[in-house]
């Protein structure tokens, strides 16, 4: 009899514990959902110009292609130099799902999966109506191209140069109540009427380039380190055409206010000259077509920076990314 009571009591206790766990889990999920919903709907915006979609879930597929290049021109030790280098293009495919503006995603690089890709790139983007930023880190061993010394061209093959770069660009939009970066780049908002905004921003550019084996150029091993910080302003505009099309274009040039750039040749360090203006320019563009609860589009982010001057050495760095996407809301 006691044994039966123990068994029945254990079953009741297990059932009660399971029920309590499910209830607690439901309460926790409900609390999280309430917080996300409140955050999703709480915005200081002009609803005549921008607004949230009338759904909470968004599923997207994205295809990215990105590239980078370096150019240098100048006179070094009496030798006129022109350099044109480009890294291999990087292709990725990704999918993302978001709920109330919070997204998770998975990205795949076909070249990495096949074992052919040697470059590494990390992108992080956060776009808000008032604040936002792009962070791009790249480590490349595929820079190749030509170097021209006093009119004589030399071929630079892949693997000779190892380069790592970090681009950080942050913005503040003064007219965030009516102008929406997310409408163009993340589709977490909708731009209902055309609007523009003046922008202010901060840009950071860091570069380290190492030439460990330089037989092609006939020069010793060279290491170059660059740290630039820029402050500036620009303008962005969202053009709404009909009820379906959105076109975005913005430019945010910043002027370098802090510069630390050095080159080391055979353990001898040289300081890069600074001459105003040195600039870091961020350009963004997008086109989005929406119908019912689906959308397709393309975005572009372009970074350009300069270092030094032509009398000694002027270096130009470019970094760009193009993203095509499609998705639907439910």
């Amino acid at each position: 009899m006691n044994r039966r009571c123990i068994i029945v009591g254990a079953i009741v206790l297990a059932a009660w514990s399971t029920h309590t766990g499910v209830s607690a889990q439901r309460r926790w999920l409900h609390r999280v959902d309430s917080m996300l919903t409140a955050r999703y709907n709480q915005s200081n915006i002009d609803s005549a110009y921008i607004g949230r979609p009338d759904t909470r879930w968004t599923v997207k597929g994205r295809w990215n292609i990105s590239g980078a290049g370096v150019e240098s021109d100048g006179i070094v030790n009496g030798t006129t130099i022109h350099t044109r280098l480009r890294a291999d293009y990087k292709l990725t495919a990704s999918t993302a799902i978001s709920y109330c503006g919070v997204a998770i995603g998975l990205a795949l690089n076909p070249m990495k999966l096949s074992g052919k890709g040697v470059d590494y790139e990390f992108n992080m983007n956060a776009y808000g109506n008032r604040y936002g930023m792009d962070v791009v880190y790249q480590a490349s061993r595929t820079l190749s191209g030509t170097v021209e010394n006093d009119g004589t061209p030399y071929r630079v093959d892949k693997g000779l140069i190892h380069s790592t770069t970090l681009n950080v660009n942050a913005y503040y939009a003064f007219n965030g109540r009516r102008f929406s970066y997310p409408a163009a780049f993340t589709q977490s908002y909708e731009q209902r009427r055309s609007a523009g905004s003046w922008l202010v921003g901060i840009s950071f550019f860091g570069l380290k380039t190492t030439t460990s084996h330089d037989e092609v150029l006939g020069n010793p091993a060279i290491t170059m380190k660059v740290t630039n910080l820029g402050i500036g302003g620009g303008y962005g505009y969202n053009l709404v055409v009909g009820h379906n099309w959105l076109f975005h274009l913005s430019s945010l040039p910043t002027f370098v206010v802090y510069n630390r750039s050095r080159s080391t040749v055979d353990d001898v360090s040289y300081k890069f000259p600074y001459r105003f203006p040195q600039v870091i320019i961020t350009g963004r563009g997008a086109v989005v077509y929406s119908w019912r609860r689906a959308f397709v589009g393309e975005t572009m982010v372009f970074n350009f920076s300069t270092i030094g001057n032509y009398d000694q050495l002027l270096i130009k760095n470019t970094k760009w990314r193009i993203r095509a996407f499609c998705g639907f809301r439910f």
Side-chain angles (χ1 to χ4, degrees):
M1 185 68 177
N2 292 338
R3 184 176 181 182
R4 290 181 180 178
C5 291
I6 294 174
I7 295 175
V8 172
I11 294 174
V12 171
L13 180 62
W16 179 83
S17 300
T18 302
H19 176 73
T20 303
V22 171
S23 299
Q25 185 180 25
R26 288 176 178 174
R27 288 196 301 268
W28 182 82
L29 292 175
H30 179 73
R31 186 178 303 173
V32 172
D33 180 70
S34 299
M35 293 174 58
L36 291 176
T37 301
R39 174 184 173 275
Y40 188 70
N41 294 324
Q42 184 181 5
S43 298
N44 182 21
I45 60 175
D46 187 339
S47 59
Y49 284 83
I50 60 178
R52 288 287 197 181
D54 59 2
T55 58
R56 297 185 182 184
W57 291 93
T58 302
V59 177
K60 297 173 62 174
R62 301 180 295 194
W63 300 267
N64 304 326
I65 179 172
S66 61
V70 179
E71 298 182 5
S72 63
D73 301 278
I75 302 174
V76 181
N77 296 327
T79 301
T80 302
I81 296 177
H82 301 284
T83 303
R84 303 292 184 268
L85 303 175
R86 180 181 65 81
D88 285 353
Y89 296 138
K90 283 163 285 299
L91 301 171
T92 60
S94 64
T95 183
I97 183 169
S98 66
Y99 178 73
C100 290
V102 178
I104 59 173
L106 174 66
L108 298 175
N109 186 328
M111 297 297 290
K112 285 288 186 181
L113 293 177
S114 63
K116 298 180 180 180
V118 296
D119 290 354
Y120 173 81
E121 182 172 318
F122 170 79
N123 285 271
M124 184 180 71
N125 319 109
Y127 293 107
N129 291 327
R130 289 198 177 274
Y131 304 93
M133 66 186 305
D134 288 295
V135 179
V136 182
Y137 173 81
Q138 180 183 17
S140 176
R141 294 181 179 273
T142 62
L143 283 169
S144 63
T146 59
V147 173
E148 186 177 294
N149 293 345
D150 283 336
T152 302
Y154 297 89
R155 177 68 186 174
V156 180
D157 295 322
K158 298 176 184 179
L160 179 64
I161 300 174
H162 179 210
S163 176
T164 58
T165 60
L166 175 64
N167 288 276
V168 181
N169 305 282
Y171 69 82
Y172 173 82
F174 289 96
N175 192 23
R177 294 185 68 249
R178 296 182 174 181
F179 167 81
S180 177
Y181 260 113
F185 286 88
T186 66
Q187 293 72 57
S188 58
Y189 279 85
E190 296 176 327
Q191 187 80 42
R192 296 168 179 172
R193 296 175 60 182
S194 300
S197 177
W198 292 102
L199 310 168
V200 65
I202 298 176
S203 299
F204 173 85
F205 175 73
L207 167 70
K208 181 179 180 181
T209 300
T210 303
T211 305
S212 57
H213 188 61
D214 208 5
E215 294 180 353
V216 175
L217 304 180
N219 293 327
I222 300 173
T223 299
M224 181 172 63
K225 297 180 179 180
V226 175
T227 302
N228 282 345
L229 180 67
I231 299 175
Y235 191 79
Y237 194 79
N238 281 348
L239 174 65
V240 178
V241 179
H243 298 287
N244 305 102
W245 289 97
L246 170 62
F247 299 90
H248 168 89
L249 192 63
S250 64
S251 177
L252 184 55
T254 59
F255 296 95
V256 174
V257 295
Y258 174 80
N259 171 70
R260 181 177 175 83
S261 304
R262 294 183 178 275
S263 179
T264 302
V265 182
D266 283 343
D267 297 326
V268 179
S269 180
Y270 300 90
K271 183 178 180 180
F272 272 79
Y274 174 82
R275 177 174 294 179
F276 183 85
Q278 290 186 186
V279 296
I280 304 172
I281 300 175
T282 302
R284 297 181 177 94
V287 55
V288 183
Y289 180 78
S290 304
W291 74 100
R292 295 181 181 177
R293 294 188 175 183
F295 54 86
V296 296
E298 184 174 276
T299 63
M300 181 275 295
V301 179
F302 176 83
N303 300 109
F304 174 80
S305 63
T306 61
I307 307 166
N309 63 79
Y310 183 81
D311 292 338
Q312 296 187 15
L313 187 63
L314 175 65
I315 300 176
K316 304 174 184 178
N317 292 273
T318 59
K319 183 74 180 74
W320 56 268
R321 185 201 72 220
I322 297 175
R323 170 176 291 169
F325 59 87
C326 66
F328 61 93
R329 304 182 178 100
F330 61 95

